[in-house]
Amino acid sequence: MSKFTNQEQQVINAALSVIQNKLSQKNGLALPIEMQNYLRIRLACDKDEWLCAMFMNNQYRMISFQRLFRGPVNVSSIMLRVIARKALELNAAAVVLCQNHIEGDVVPRDEERELTGKVRDALALFSIRLIDHIFVSRKDSYSLAEYELLHLGR
């Protein structure tokens, strides 16, 4: 994909700032569509696939967005430890996992569903909730919570 012009990049940065402010406000949990819009703007045009996390406080306000792993998902104990450690370092009460699918199909693969269940279970040991796992592409998004699939793996 070609680079954005300076003007286009300014518009993108302004949109990210507005949405990030909304996600961090005092009103608590953002609407799923707001989170999906933020993640699509933030990740959809990346050339690499990323597993990221939005760390939330106990009122479901975003504390931090972090890119954690680049490349295809590979469920490992190291990955689980990194996610849990970041959540604990930030004193997060909840986490939203997010991934961009550069090929465009946002429906989660089996290994991504497996990861979701393992991350949910690992975070639960520390009383941290996994509230969603959102997949984005340039044109679409998919929320496991929205489709009531977050309980998979139990």
Side-chain angles (χ1 to χ4, degrees):
M1 177 169 193
S2 63
K3 290 187 177 184
F4 294 106
T5 65
N6 285 340
Q7 185 177 10
E8 290 169 332
Q9 192 60 52
Q10 287 175 349
V11 170
I12 291 168
N13 290 342
L16 282 171
S17 178
V18 167
I19 297 171
Q20 189 165 345
N21 285 339
K22 287 276 187 191
L23 294 174
S24 301
Q25 284 180 353
K26 296 179 182 176
N27 331 3
L29 185 62
L31 296 172
I33 193 69
E34 291 172 335
M35 289 191 285
Q36 291 172 28
N37 287 339
Y38 173 75
L39 296 170
R40 282 186 56 211
I41 293 169
R42 187 94 193 228
L43 296 170
C45 292
D46 282 5
K47 293 178 183 174
D48 295 319
E49 192 167 294
W50 283 93
L51 174 66
C52 306
M54 295 170 61
F55 297 96
M56 314 284 232
N57 68 12
N58 59 1
Q59 281 108 25
Y60 301 112
R61 286 183 256 152
M62 187 169 66
I63 299 168
S64 179
F65 170 87
Q66 295 193 15
R67 293 170 187 259
L68 301 173
F69 302 99
R70 180 186 294 175
V73 169
N74 178 11
V75 178
S76 71
S77 60
I78 293 170
M79 182 180 276
L80 299 175
R81 283 194 298 260
V82 167
I83 295 167
R85 185 184 73 228
K86 289 282 185 189
L88 291 167
E89 286 172 359
L90 294 165
N91 199 29
V95 174
V96 174
L97 289 180
C98 40
Q99 285 179 256
N100 62 325
H101 281 185
I102 55 177
E103 75 281 353
D105 182 12
V106 294
V107 176
R109 300 178 284 254
D110 289 341
E111 58 270 15
E112 293 165 334
R113 290 173 191 250
E114 179 185 353
L115 169 69
T116 303
K118 288 186 176 187
V119 170
R120 182 204 55 233
D121 294 346
L123 292 174
L125 295 172
F126 303 102
S127 300
I128 300 170
R129 287 188 59 217
L130 178 64
I131 57 175
D132 205 348
H133 191 162
I134 298 172
F135 302 85
V136 298
S137 70
R138 291 183 187 166
K139 296 181 180 181
D140 206 1
S141 59
Y142 186 99
S143 159
L144 286 180
E146 191 173 17
Y147 287 95
E148 298 180 5
L149 298 173
L150 204 56
H151 65 280
L152 289 178
R154 280 207 169 164

